């Protein structure tokens, strides 16, 4: 904690922050007041995310403003106004209706960041179907598992991704009726259809049906330490959190150009790469290309980005590149920089002040919370290394579990415990799809237990300590060790596998597998490379291990569970802790 706080000087504000006084906003907070800032569907027909994000701006006379500014990989710039987005998403909603896809049915995407994807998300929400994004760097196995578990009816993807990652496993997905190809002009057998043809044939008029705020809207998969990936269910009411955090945390003002660098395959890419900025009527910048330090700095300059939301891995890569962005680029339009997804080291916060001319505002949330829960706000002092304070309307605490249904709240500042949130905020996940038991386990009494360990200081700032489980965070993405272990176990030479996250300076943690071979297999460099390739082919680059180490055997509990905690302690040369349950301990 020994870093100097970064104080804010109101005389230097170019725009008055939406949250000038944190304590006052907390004291006066009401979700009803937030609801009144949104429009609701005309004629009291409920609350629909897509209406709040797009149509209401058109209905209120702001249809000509640029909603989406898309930069293609090749550098072409294309603008879509709020009216364009309304019409295009209406076409997608009509297309679904024409295909017989209705309320609650799941529409998945596996796509790069292209305009069609954004229209598909919004059109799906308008039709009251449920949108579920997948990350395009997943391999065939994680994709098939999620399509199956999420009961996918429609998949929006490209020809290349379909052929490479889905086609071979489609026979095992009988519910997946339609594949809509974003880059094909002709239909193909097996209901592999041209999205552009279908869109052209669909009407631009669509009336959003009555939407109960509790209607399911989004499904986001996240990894567990055991078992299958978990599908976190979110409802239309989540738009209240998206809007509120867009206002208080991102500090969006209508004239802003906003850039969220997250991919739509992850929850940040949907909540903050689409919904939150659009609910504020800003211009939302989307870059199809992936990280490249000079390109990103050029985007900030040329697109005159005012508010930038990115991730620690990207910030660390910029730091490593040696580039001092503001010496080379005009960043005078940049007002705020935010970061999420993994711990943001204090050095990075302070680097921002020097290299960007602005400190980096860290914030914390998870797939399950649907939106930002703890944050550093523009008008509030930053304590480098802290995630900030809970959003007005959110109660966060450090707790200790006493039993399955009870926790004790830690009153003393500086004590480590599990980070918990008092349940009931609008974007709280409503279920893990098809897994009621796992969902219930996340709660104890009034509290949702996040699975993170943290501390709270005397002034209510929260400090991240680590995960309470074995989940791996690599480049800001969750990887479940079980998923990786299961894939490697399918190789004929492998007897047992234990997978851990090994700390790595740039990407936070890298996926490392310890492999015990069958008695007839021989450890060799060739086999190690073969296993790396085998896992990569199945799992894709986002999930596959980067390191494999052969071991004679793995530490196990007496009940036969591999002790990943011990593998990690050994890898890091740390004390092994309690080994009383170790098989041969
Ligand atoms: P996901 O559900 O993939 O968004 O991952 C959520 C998890 O990422 C949290 O439970 C944390 O472990 C981690 N995380 C997110 N934001 C932060 C942050 N600002 N600092 C530290 N860890 C974070």
């Amino acid at each position: 904690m020994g870093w100097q706080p970064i104080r804010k000087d109101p005389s230097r504000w170019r725009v008055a922050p939406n949250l000038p006084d944190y304590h006052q906003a907390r004291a006066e907070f009401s979700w009803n007041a937030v609801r009144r800032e949104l429009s609701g569907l005309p004629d009291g027909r409920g609350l629909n995310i897509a209406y709040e994000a797009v149509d209401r701006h058109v209905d209120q006379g702001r249809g000509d403003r640029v909603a989406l500014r898309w930069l293609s990989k090749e550098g072409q710039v294309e603008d879509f106004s709020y009216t364009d987005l309304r019409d295009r998403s209406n076409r997608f909603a009509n297309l679904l209706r024409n295909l017989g896809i209705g309320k609650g049915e799941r529409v998945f995407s596996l796509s790069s960041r292209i305009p069609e994807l954004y229209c598909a998300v919004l059109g799906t929400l308008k039709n009251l179907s449920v949108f579920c994004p997948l990350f395009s760097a997943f391999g065939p196995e994680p994709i098939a598992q999620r399509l199956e578990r999420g009961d996918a009816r429609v998949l929006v993807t490209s020809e290349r991704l379909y052929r490479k990652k889905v086609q071979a496993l489609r026979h095992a997905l009988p519910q997946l009726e339609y594949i809509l190809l974003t880059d094909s002009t002709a239909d193909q057998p097996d209901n592999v259809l041209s999205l552009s043809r279908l869109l052209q044939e669909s009407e631009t008029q669509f009336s959003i049906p009555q939407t109960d705020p509790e209607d399911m809207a989004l499904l986001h998969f996240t990894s567990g330490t055991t078992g299958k990936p978990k599908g976190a269910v979110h409802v239309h009411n989540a738009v209240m959190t998206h809007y509120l955090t867009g206002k208080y945390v991102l500090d969006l003002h209508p004239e802003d150009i906003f850039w969220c660098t997250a991919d739509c395959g992850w929850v940040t890419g949907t909540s903050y790469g689409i919904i939150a900025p659009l609910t504020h009527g800003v211009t939302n910048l989307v870059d199809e290309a992936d990280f490249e330090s000079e390109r990103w700095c050029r985007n900030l300059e040329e697109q005159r980005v005012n508010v930038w939301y990115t991730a620690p891995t990207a910030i660390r890569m910029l730091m490593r590149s040696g580039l001092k962005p503001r010496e080379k680029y005009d960043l005078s339009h940049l007002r705020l920089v935010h970061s999420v997804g993994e711990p943001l080291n204090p050095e990075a916060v302070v680097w921002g002040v020097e290299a960007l001319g602005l400190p980096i505002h860290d914030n914390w949330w998870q797939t399950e919370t649907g939106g930002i829960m703890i944050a550093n706000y523009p008008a509030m002092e930053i304590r480098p290394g802290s995630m900030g304070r809970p959003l007005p309307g959110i109660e966060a605490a450090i707790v200790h579990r006493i039993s399955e249904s009870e926790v004790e709240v830690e009153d003393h500042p500086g004590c480590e415990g599990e980070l918990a949130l008092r349940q009931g905020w609008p974007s709280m996940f409503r279920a893990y799809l098809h897994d009621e038991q796992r969902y219930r386990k996340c709660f104890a009494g009034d509290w949702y237990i996040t699975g993170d360990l943290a501390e709270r200081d005397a002034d209510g700032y929260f400090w991240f300590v680590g995960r309470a489980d074995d989940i791996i965070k690599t480049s800001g993405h969750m990887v479940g060790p079980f998923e990786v272990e299961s894939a490697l176990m399918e190789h004929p030479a492998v007897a047992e596998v234990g997978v851990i996250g090994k700390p790595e300076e740039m990407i936070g943690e890298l996926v490392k597998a310890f492999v015990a071979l069958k008695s007839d297999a021989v450890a060799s460099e060739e086999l190690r490379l073969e296993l790396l390739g085998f896992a990569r082919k199945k799992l894709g680059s986002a999930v596959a291990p980067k390191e494999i180490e052969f071991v004679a055997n793995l530490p196990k509990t007496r009940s036969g569970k591999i002790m990943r905690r011990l593998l990690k302690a050994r890898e890091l040369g740390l004390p092994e802790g309690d080994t009383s349950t170790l098989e041969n301990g």
Side-chain angles (χ1 to χ4, degrees):
M1 295 185 190
W3 294 76
Q4 286 300 316
I6 299 174
R7 303 222 158 81
K8 308 293 178 60
D9 177 359
S11 69
R12 295 182 60 193
W13 288 337
R14 274 172 279 161
V15 177
N18 291 325
L19 180 67
D21 184 333
Y22 174 76
H23 294 290
Q24 190 185 350
R26 272 195 86 78
E28 293 172 356
F29 185 81
S30 101
W31 284 111
N32 284 337
V34 179
R35 174 64 184 80
R36 284 195 295 274
E37 290 183 38
L38 296 171
S39 304
L41 284 169
D43 311 319
R45 283 183 290 119
L47 185 69
N48 184 293
I49 295 175
Y51 185 81
E52 299 305 322
V54 181
D55 295 29
R56 75 173 176 132
H57 301 300
V58 184
D59 291 351
Q60 292 170 5
R62 299 186 296 272
D64 288 343
R65 300 171 75 129
V66 177
L68 204 69
R69 171 160 298 161
W70 180 69
L71 311 181
S72 77
K73 278 186 187 149
E74 296 75 28
Q76 163 206 354
V77 181
E78 214 176 319
D79 280 350
F80 299 86
S81 68
Y82 277 89
T83 303
D84 291 335
L85 258 197
R86 180 200 57 183
D87 293 350
R88 285 166 187 254
S89 54
N90 280 353
R91 280 185 192 268
F92 193 87
N94 278 317
L95 171 165
L96 289 180
R97 195 177 271 179
N98 296 340
L99 290 176
I101 303 298
K103 180 172 172 175
E105 295 197 278
R106 260 75 86 181
V107 176
F108 277 60
S109 70
L110 178 71
S111 166
S112 58
R113 293 177 291 279
I114 53 172
E116 289 81 351
L117 176 62
Y118 295 78
C119 303
V121 176
L122 295 160
T124 301
L125 295 171
K126 286 183 172 181
N127 191 45
L128 302 196
S129 306
V130 175
F131 194 80
C132 180
L134 296 176
F135 188 41
S136 49
F138 279 156
E141 286 202 1
I143 290 171
Q145 221 176 39
R146 285 160 176 77
L147 289 169
E148 194 239 332
R149 197 136 174 91
D151 312 312
R153 297 287 322 279
V154 178
L155 173 67
V156 178
T157 188
S158 69
E159 175 114 36
R160 184 184 67 84
L161 289 169
Y162 175 63
R163 301 266 168 252
K164 192 169 163 205
K165 306 196 177 194
V166 183
Q167 193 175 23
L169 295 172
R170 187 151 172 220
H171 65 274
L173 301 164
Q175 297 208 56
L176 178 56
E177 200 170 343
Y178 297 107
I179 309 289
L180 308 184
L181 296 184
T182 53
D183 53 355
S184 168
T185 46
D187 292 348
Q188 301 172 26
D190 303 323
N191 278 338
V192 178
L193 307 176
S194 156
L195 178 61
S196 56
R197 179 191 65 76
L198 287 167
L199 285 172
Q200 256 167 25
E201 290 168 8
S202 302
E203 291 279 314
T204 54
Q205 305 285 324
F206 184 86
S207 172
I208 302 176
Q210 170 104 26
T211 311
D212 187 316
E214 287 300 308
D215 281 340
M216 186 171 166
L218 298 159
L219 177 67
H220 284 290
F221 277 95
T222 179
S223 299
T225 44
T226 54
K228 299 204 167 140
K230 303 175 282 188
V233 170
H234 289 282
V235 297
H236 280 270
N237 211 25
V239 71
M240 301 249 284
T241 313
H242 300 144
Y243 173 80
L244 182 70
T245 48
K247 177 177 173 181
Y248 280 171
V249 183
L250 306 177
D251 195 46
L252 297 173
H253 289 67
E255 302 303 324
D256 280 338
I257 313 267
F258 171 72
W259 183 25
C260 169
T261 59
D263 188 82
C264 284
W266 303 94
V267 71
T268 308
T270 317
S271 295
Y272 295 99
I274 309 178
I275 302 168
L278 295 181
T279 62
H280 285 272
V282 304
T283 294
N284 190 33
L285 185 69
V286 174
D287 187 357
E288 188 190 12
D290 290 330
F291 176 84
E292 198 270 300
S293 50
E294 297 274 353
R295 178 177 175 118
W296 278 28
C297 292
R298 234 180 12 252
N299 284 350
L300 292 174
E301 177 184 88
E302 285 173 7
Q303 299 307 325
R304 301 170 167 222
V305 173
N306 305 113
V307 183
W308 188 34
Y309 194 14
T310 189
T313 294
I315 293 164
R316 288 191 292 263
M317 293 205 284
L318 269 178
M319 286 168 78
R320 189 174 62 174
S321 73
L323 195 70
K324 289 245 168 68
R326 74 167 168 160
E327 284 176 6
K328 192 166 168 196
Y329 296 92
D330 173 8
L331 301 183
S332 56
H333 292 91
L334 195 59
R335 190 175 82 240
L336 279 166
V337 184
H338 304 277
S339 158
V340 74
E342 5 154 17
L344 182 67
N345 16 346
E347 294 85 350
V349 178
V350 175
W351 172 86
V353 178
E354 244 187 61
L356 302 169
L358 299 164
I360 296 167
H361 292 72
D362 189 18
N363 59 66
W364 175 96
W365 60 292
Q366 317 176 295
T367 304
E368 286 83 348
T369 69
I372 300 168
M373 296 282 110
I374 295 179
N376 287 284
Y377 307 89
M380 194 178 84
E381 167 183 308
I382 295 180
R383 301 190 175 171
S386 161
M387 307 185 290
R389 286 174 165 148
L391 182 74
I394 297 296
E395 195 181 337
I398 301 299
V399 304
H400 306 285
R401 266 200 201 251
I402 306 174
S403 68
E404 288 228 327
S405 59
E406 270 179 301
V407 295
E408 189 177 69
V409 175
E410 174 63 66
D411 288 328
H412 299 290
C415 286
E416 182 182 317
E418 291 206 58
L419 176 60
L421 305 170
R422 191 180 290 279
Q423 56 170 303
W425 69 95
S427 65
M428 188 179 91
F429 69 135
R430 299 295 196 269
Y432 284 134
L433 197 67
H434 306 314
D435 208 339
E436 177 62 22
Q437 207 187 351
R438 242 164 151 192
Y439 181 68
R440 263 193 266 116
K441 271 194 176 161
C442 298
F443 296 88
D446 275 353
W447 297 93
Y448 161 64
I449 315 292
T450 66
D452 281 357
L453 300 173
E455 288 175 22
R456 182 179 51 83
D457 70 18
D459 300 314
Y461 281 75
F462 283 76
W463 300 74
F464 183 77
V465 172
R467 287 287 307 177
D469 56 23
D470 297 328
I471 293 273
I472 301 164
K473 258 284 160 125
T474 179
S475 301
H477 303 143
M478 283 272 208
V479 172
F482 180 76
E483 208 167 347
V484 182
E485 289 161 2
S486 309
L488 278 167
M489 287 293 288
E490 288 173 38
H491 191 281
V494 174
E496 277 176 346
V497 192
V499 167
I500 63 159
K502 174 179 164 183
E504 203 273 349
E505 212 179 313
M506 201 54 53
I507 58 170
E509 289 183 310
L510 65 74
V511 179
K512 171 160 187 175
F514 293 86
V515 172
L517 294 173
K518 290 192 180 145
S519 54
D520 56 351
V522 181
S524 67
E525 182 56 14
E526 206 184 346
L527 181 57
R528 206 179 61 79
L529 293 176
E530 183 182 317
L531 289 176
L532 284 170
F534 178 81
R536 197 181 159 96
K537 201 161 167 222
K538 278 181 174 296
L539 298 168
S541 58
V543 182
K546 298 271 183 299
E547 278 186 22
I548 289 183
E549 183 176 326
F550 293 120
V551 288
N553 47 47
L554 290 161
K556 278 190 250 106
T557 61
R558 294 199 178 101
S559 59
K561 261 174 80 178
I562 291 169
M563 292 178 84
R564 300 186 188 113
R565 176 178 62 77
L566 207 58
L567 281 172
K568 191 159 180 170
R570 287 177 183 171
E571 171 74 27
L572 302 181
L574 296 172
E576 295 194 356
D578 179 8
T579 52
S580 56
T581 56
L582 188 64
E583 191 180 32
N584 303 309

